[in-house]
Amino acid sequence: MLWKLIKLELKKTKWRGLLLCAVITNLLVALWVVSSDVPNNEVRSYDRVFQSIMNYCGITFIIFSSVLMSRMVIDEYRNKTITLLFAYPVPRKMIFLAKLIIIGVWTFVTVLLNNIFVVISLLIANSHYHYITETLTHDRLIAEAIRMLIFAFTCASVSLIPLYFGMFRKTMPALIVSAFVLSNSSMVIVNNITVEDGYGIFMTAALVCFTIGVLMAYAGVRRSQL
């Protein structure tokens, strides 16, 4: 039943525009990091630049996910098409779960791909302009790849929280503003965790974000039933 609801939501959502916007956003973030952030701020270490990339990717696509959430949830309330879904002999929580799974997976994939794309763009640019002279080892790349996966999972978890705030007024601005505040707040955690701290702290922060995300999303679903 859940898989059928997910397929139904995938068919209903207009993905072409979202995918085009995601591609353009990827290019803009990469352009910003390569042509402005790294050279203008005189970034000279990979730790610093990788953290900056995570910041930009995380903030950008958590906010981006709130746009998707607005289309899948808020717009259906405004257009009153949600009542048709609620008429199905399916628990309301199951309908919201299908939507949240799509939003979480979308955020995970876009954040991960954006990180990879921007890092590759930076490494190509660095091979020509030598912004960073530090040697990038194979082990360091593997460590960063693992951090990217954990970070994408963290962003996917945080992207679920705005649903709670969006259900207060059922407006897109409420979702966007809450996503902006939450994304910036979560990036403070990222800035204070380095590779030297190991994966334990990073994974703990990710699990905390996941727990909060699930609980807040559940509270948002409960609020929809009021």
Side-chain angles (χ1 to χ4, degrees):
M1 178 61 70
L2 180 60
W3 177 239
K4 289 182 179 179
L5 288 172
I6 291 174
K7 289 196 294 184
L8 176 63
E9 291 295 336
L10 290 173
K11 289 179 180 179
K12 286 166 51 184
T13 305
K14 298 178 181 179
W15 291 102
R16 182 175 297 179
L18 285 169
L19 290 172
L20 179 60
C21 289
V23 171
I24 293 173
T25 303
N26 262 323
L27 294 172
L28 291 175
V29 173
L31 184 62
W32 167 256
V33 170
V34 171
S35 65
S36 180
D37 183 62
V38 173
N40 291 342
N41 292 322
E42 297 184 353
V43 178
R44 294 295 178 264
S45 72
Y46 282 110
D47 281 345
R48 169 70 175 79
V49 76
F50 287 153
Q51 283 187 330
S52 292
I53 291 172
M54 282 187 178
N55 277 335
Y56 296 131
C57 296
I59 291 172
T60 301
F61 282 97
I62 288 175
I63 296 173
F64 205 124
S65 71
S66 68
V67 176
L68 176 60
M69 185 178 289
S70 177
R71 289 191 180 187
M72 296 184 69
V73 180
I74 304 302
D75 283 357
E76 291 206 349
Y77 272 97
R78 292 171 59 188
N79 300 330
K80 301 188 184 303
T81 54
I82 195 76
T83 55
L84 178 61
L85 281 176
F86 290 162
Y88 292 167
V90 178
R92 188 176 298 190
K93 293 176 184 178
M94 190 73 73
I95 294 172
F96 275 96
L97 178 60
K99 294 175 182 290
L100 291 174
I101 287 174
I102 293 171
I103 292 165
V105 172
W106 164 266
T107 308
F108 177 86
V109 172
T110 51
V111 169
L112 183 60
L113 292 180
N114 189 220
N115 264 282
I116 293 171
F117 180 75
V118 177
V119 167
I120 291 174
S121 300
L122 173 73
L123 294 178
I124 293 173
N126 192 60
S127 66
H128 290 86
Y129 299 106
H130 306 290
Y131 299 130
I132 305 169
T133 56
E134 177 187 352
T135 302
L136 183 61
T137 64
H138 181 264
D139 289 342
R140 181 67 181 82
L141 273 176
I142 295 297
E144 193 58 36
I146 296 173
R147 275 166 55 88
M148 284 182 188
L149 286 169
I150 300 173
F151 178 72
F153 175 77
T154 303
C155 291
S157 302
V158 173
S159 71
L160 304 180
I161 300 176
L163 176 66
Y164 176 78
F165 301 98
M167 294 309 294
F168 275 101
R169 293 184 176 275
K170 296 181 176 63
T171 60
M172 184 174 181
L175 278 174
I176 300 295
V177 171
S178 61
F180 177 80
V181 173
L182 288 165
S183 60
N184 278 275
S185 300
S186 60
M187 292 310 110
V188 173
I189 300 174
V190 174
N191 285 332
N192 286 282
I193 302 177
T194 64
V195 176
E196 287 75 18
D197 293 325
Y199 300 123
I201 296 177
F202 209 56
M203 195 63 197
T204 300
L207 291 175
V208 169
C209 288
F210 175 74
T211 302
I212 295 174
V214 170
L215 291 176
M216 293 295 284
Y218 178 74
V221 173
R222 288 288 300 273
R223 190 163 193 82
S224 72
Q225 299 173 342
L226 298 178

